[in-house]
Amino acid sequence: MTTPPGKRGRDAYSHRFRRLREQGLRPPVPQETPGTEPAAIDAVLDCGWGRLIFAQTFADPAKIAQCMREEAPDQRDIAVYVRDPHVVIAAAPQELFLDPSHTYRLDLSHYRPSRRTFKGFAVRRVASRSDADEVNRIYATRNMVQVRPDFFWSSRDARALVHLVAEDEVTGAILGTVTGVDHGRAFADPERGTSLWCLAVDAQATRPSVGEALVRHLAEMFQARGAAFMDLSVLHDNEQAISLYDKLGFVRVPFFSIKHKNPINERLFVGEPPENKLNPYARILVDEARRRGIGVEITDAEGGFFRLTYGGRTIACRESLTELTTAIAMSICDDKAVTRRVAERAGITVPEQMEADIDDVPALEAFLAKHGQVVVKPARGEQGRGVAVGLDSIGAIETAIESAAKISDRVIIEQCVTGEDLRLIVINYKLVAAAIRRPARVIGDGRSTIRQLIERQSRRRAASTGGESRIPLDTETKRCIMTSGHALEDVLESGLELAVRRTANLHTGGTIHDVTDHVHPTLVEAAVRIARAIDIPVTGIDLMVPDYKGPGYAFIEANERPGLANHEPQPTAERFVDLLFPQSIPASARRAAGF
C-alpha cells in the first residue's frame, strides 16, 4: 500500500525530531536499569596512546577539565561526549581546546555486512610482540602516538579494548590496524555504545580496501556483542576518511570532544603556520627546528627554501640541502659520470659506464654484448626521470637515449647490476638510516585492467605521501608491462603481483622499507667513504645490493638533497638539525654524544 504524501512527510519530521532528541547536544547520561550493572562514575580508560575521558559520566565540568590537565607527557588524552564544551574549556582556557573533529555514528541495528570478499589479506587480533611493533611502526609513519608494546595484551585493558590488524596472506606483512572500545565493558554504558579509534593503514600497502575491511570487521564484532552503535572521531578536513565512512553508512552526530594543548596536536589549535605550504621533505626539518626553539623563516614555500637561526648563526636550506654543502660537492653529485669517477678513486665498487652516442651503434652493440642488459639515464637529473633499466636490445637503448636526452644534454649507459636498491642516509659522515626501495607494483583482482590498477594504486600513493609519489603512465611503465608479457588493457589475474616500473624511486610510485638495524657494516663503510670522498655533510647514497645483510654492492649514485621524511621514524630530522646547530642538542645528549 502506498503511503500518502502527507503521512510520509510527518514520518520524516518525526524521524528528524527523534534523532535530535537521541543524538542532539544531550549526550547519553548514566542510568540505572533494573537487573543491570550501574554505570561507572567519572569513567576514564587508558588506551596506551592516552586516555579516553567519557564526559557523560562526569557530573561536574570542572572535574573533566582537571582530569584533562593530568595528561601524561607524550600522551594524547581526549574527553569525548562533552555536553558543555564551553564550560569545560572555561575552567582551563590556556590548556584546553575544542577538537576540530566531527563525530560519526554507525547504527549497528541497521548495519549489514558487505557481500564483497576482501582478497589478499586477513583481519585478526594483535597476537604477538612483532604485531605490536608493526602497529607502532605504522603509527610512527602516520605521526601518531606510539604505544608501549606490552600494553596491547595487558589483562587490565583486554575487556574494553580490541586491537585488530590486517595481515597480508602472502608476505605476512601488517598492512593496517584499528582499535575498538566497548563502552559497556569500559563503564557499563546503558546505551550499549562502542567506538573506533586509531584507524591507520600502511602508506605503502598495495592491497586495496584495507581500511574498509578493518572498519567492517570491528563493526561486525561489536554487532555480534549486541552493541547499539559504533562512533568515531575524524578531523573535519580528512576528506578521504570521511568519504569511506559515508560509504559505510556512518552519519554525523553533534557530539563534541576536548583535547589538551601539547606539541602532538599543536597544529589543531594554533592555526595554519606558513610551513604547511612546504612539501613533506622541508616540513619535517622545519618542525624539528621549531621544536628546539630554533627560529624559522620560510623564504620560498613552493621551492622548499627556508632559513634557520639559532643564537648568532643563520643557515639557509632547501629541504635537506644547506649552505654547508659546497658548490663543488653539489656539482659532483649533479653529474653522475663525475660521481662515479670520484667513488671509483675512493676504492668503491662501481658498475662499468660509457657516455651514450646514438650515432655510434657499434659501440652501443659492443657494450650491450659485454653486459647483456644496460641502464640508460641522464647524466644530470633527479627523482628517477628519464631512467630506463634492464634494456637488452639496440632499439630499446636508442629509444631510451632519446627520452633521457630531453632531460640532460648528456646521456649515460651503464652496466645493469641486478639486486635491490638500497638508500643510505649519511649525515655528518655517520649512517642515520638505511632502506630498501622497491619499484611500484600492482596486485590483480581478476576484474580490473592493469591501467585501472595503476591508477588506483597511484591515487593511494599520492594520498599517503602528500602528492609526492605517483606511478606515471609513461613509456618506461608501458615497456616494463610489455616485458612481463602484458598490456595496459589486460585484466590481471586475481592475486597476481606485477611490477610496473623497473626503477625504485619514490616519486614514480616506489615503496621504501627500513633496514637500518640490519644493514651490513661493509655497506655502511662504503656509504661513509663515498660521502667523505665527495666531502658532503648530508647525502643519500644509492647502492645496488644482492642482499642488504651481506657485503656485496655496486655504487649507483649520490643525492645531494635526499628526502629525509621518507625514512621516518629514523631520526633523520634530528640528526640534520644536530649538524646545523649542535648547541641546540640537550646538554645530557651532547655529553653522551661527546660534543
Side-chain angles (χ1 to χ4, degrees):
M1 184 175 77
T2 304
T3 304
K7 174 69 172 175
R8 187 184 305 118
R10 287 194 297 274
D11 286 348
Y13 281 121
S14 297
H15 172 70
R16 293 192 185 102
F17 281 126
R18 187 169 61 253
R19 278 191 60 192
L20 282 173
R21 287 196 302 270
E22 294 175 355
Q23 301 176 359
L25 294 180
R26 180 191 64 80
V29 295
Q31 302 172 19
E32 290 192 22
T33 303
T36 64
E37 179 185 355
I41 302 300
D42 299 347
V44 176
L45 178 67
D46 184 3
C47 296
W49 39 261
R51 300 174 303 160
L52 284 179
I53 296 164
F54 294 96
Q56 72 269 41
T57 67
F58 285 72
D60 183 0
K63 199 167 184 180
I64 299 174
Q66 181 57 39
C67 192
M68 290 294 295
R69 297 177 71 183
E70 295 169 358
E71 179 181 77
D74 299 321
Q75 294 285 281
R76 181 173 58 99
D77 290 353
I78 307 174
V80 293
Y81 304 112
V82 182
R83 176 185 175 87
D84 298 312
H86 53 297
V87 178
V88 177
I89 292 174
Q94 300 302 318
E95 300 178 60
L96 306 180
F97 69 99
L98 185 65
D99 181 19
S101 295
H102 295 318
T103 302
Y104 278 79
R105 170 167 291 182
L106 181 65
D107 184 342
L108 294 179
S109 65
H110 293 92
Y111 170 77
R112 296 293 177 267
S114 173
R115 295 179 180 178
R116 174 185 172 193
T117 301
F118 298 101
K119 296 182 178 180
F121 63 92
V123 177
R124 60 171 176 80
R125 285 177 179 264
V126 169
S128 66
R129 173 62 183 257
S130 62
D131 286 348
D133 290 341
E134 282 297 289
V135 168
N136 274 330
R137 176 187 63 80
I138 295 174
Y139 284 174
T141 61
R142 294 297 192 176
N143 295 315
M144 297 165 65
V145 180
Q146 297 182 53
V147 179
R148 67 179 189 276
D150 67 296
F151 182 89
F152 287 96
W153 47 85
S154 173
S155 59
R156 60 188 168 83
D157 301 300
R159 293 186 68 253
L161 290 170
V162 176
H163 300 290
L164 301 179
V165 292
E167 179 183 32
D168 191 293
E169 293 177 344
V170 177
T171 65
I174 300 301
L175 306 177
T177 180
V178 70
T179 298
V181 176
D182 188 326
H183 299 179
R185 297 183 177 184
F187 62 95
D189 180 16
E191 297 286 326
R192 296 183 293 115
T194 63
S195 53
L196 176 154
W197 302 90
C198 298
L199 176 65
V201 177
D202 190 334
Q204 302 184 136
T206 54
R207 303 284 184 182
S209 304
V210 173
E212 178 181 346
L214 286 163
V215 174
R216 286 189 178 277
H217 193 98
L218 188 64
E220 289 157 25
M221 178 181 290
F222 285 149
Q223 187 182 51
R225 291 184 181 182
F229 58 82
M230 183 171 75
D231 289 348
L232 59 84
S233 179
V234 58
L235 280 173
H236 69 95
D237 57 356
N238 190 344
E239 296 178 0
Q240 187 179 14
I242 290 173
S243 175
L244 169 63
Y245 301 139
D246 285 339
K247 169 186 171 183
L248 296 181
F250 284 81
V251 295
R252 186 174 157 192
V253 289
F255 296 153
F256 299 107
S257 298
I258 289 175
K259 291 181 179 177
H260 190 273
K261 294 179 180 179
N262 61 33
I264 297 168
N265 53 41
E266 183 179 27
R267 69 182 187 87
L268 300 180
F269 60 85
V270 299
E272 292 289 328
E275 56 263 29
N276 273 16
K277 297 178 182 179
L278 296 169
N279 64 33
Y281 307 113
R283 192 164 59 245
I284 185 178
L285 305 176
V286 167
D287 288 347
E288 174 63 18
R290 285 199 189 280
R291 187 181 70 81
R292 297 200 196 181
I294 295 170
V296 176
E297 178 189 359
I298 310 299
T299 53
D300 186 88
E302 185 177 353
F305 290 89
F306 55 92
R307 286 194 190 93
L308 303 180
T309 301
Y310 189 76
R313 179 182 175 93
T314 297
I315 297 180
C317 311
R318 184 185 185 188
E319 298 168 9
S320 64
L321 177 65
T322 77
E323 58 190 73
L324 301 184
T325 295
T326 66
I328 297 299
M330 188 171 173
S331 297
I332 292 172
C333 292
D334 182 55
D335 192 319
K336 294 176 175 61
V338 175
T339 315
R340 178 189 172 279
R341 292 198 295 269
V342 170
E344 187 175 25
R345 285 195 293 269
I348 300 300
T349 303
V350 296
E352 189 173 344
Q353 194 180 85
M354 65 173 282
E355 193 159 325
D357 183 352
I358 199 168
D359 297 321
D360 192 352
V361 177
L364 299 179
E365 289 177 337
F367 195 83
L368 178 61
K370 182 176 180 180
H371 299 292
Q373 288 188 330
V374 300
V375 177
V376 171
K377 55 187 178 183
R380 290 186 169 91
E382 59 182 4
Q383 299 182 350
R385 289 192 290 264
V387 179
V389 179
L391 307 178
D392 56 8
S393 70
I394 291 299
I397 292 173
E398 290 175 338
T399 299
I401 291 173
E402 291 174 356
S403 178
K406 297 175 183 177
I407 296 171
S408 172
D409 57 350
R410 291 172 46 241
V411 177
I412 289 169
I413 301 180
E414 191 173 82
Q415 169 191 358
C416 185
V417 181
T418 58
E420 290 197 289
D421 187 328
L422 177 66
R423 163 64 64 91
L424 301 110
I425 300 296
V426 178
I427 299 177
N428 200 19
Y429 308 106
K430 296 176 184 176
L431 179 76
V432 177
I436 289 292
R437 303 189 298 177
R438 296 194 173 112
R441 300 169 181 270
V442 296
I443 299 176
D445 59 9
R447 302 184 305 273
S448 307
T449 66
I450 294 174
R451 180 190 296 275
Q452 291 170 329
L453 293 171
I454 289 174
E455 289 172 346
R456 291 175 196 157
Q457 176 75 351
S458 190
R459 284 196 296 270
R460 287 197 296 271
R461 294 292 293 134
S464 64
T465 60
E468 293 295 320
S469 181
R470 289 185 174 88
I471 306 173
L473 282 167
D474 58 9
T475 303
E476 178 62 10
T477 298
K478 294 173 183 175
R479 186 184 70 80
C480 184
I481 294 169
M482 288 180 61
T483 302
S484 68
H486 296 85
L488 268 175
E489 305 308 325
D490 289 351
V491 173
L492 196 60
E493 179 185 340
S494 179
L496 182 63
E497 188 173 45
L498 177 69
V500 297
R501 299 285 296 186
R502 296 292 296 272
T503 56
N505 196 282
L506 180 78
H507 293 274
T508 55
T511 58
I512 188 164
H513 310 268
D514 182 74
V515 296
T516 307
D517 295 334
H518 308 288
V519 67
H520 195 277
T522 298
L523 308 182
V524 176
E525 180 187 357
V528 172
R529 196 187 313 166
I530 295 166
R532 289 196 179 278
I534 300 172
D535 195 18
I536 185 168
V538 179
T539 183
I541 303 297
D542 293 342
L543 306 179
M544 193 63 69
V545 299
D547 180 3
Y548 61 84
K549 295 181 180 179
Y553 72 91
F555 170 67
I556 303 301
E557 64 183 43
N559 191 312
E560 76 280 2
R561 185 162 50 102
L564 301 186
N566 298 334
H567 297 269
E568 289 187 296
Q570 295 298 336
T572 51
E574 291 94 323
R575 299 294 86 80
F576 176 84
V577 177
D578 289 351
L579 169 70
L580 271 54
F581 303 102
Q583 293 305 312
S584 71
I585 306 172
S588 58
R590 284 205 308 272
R591 286 194 297 270
F595 284 101

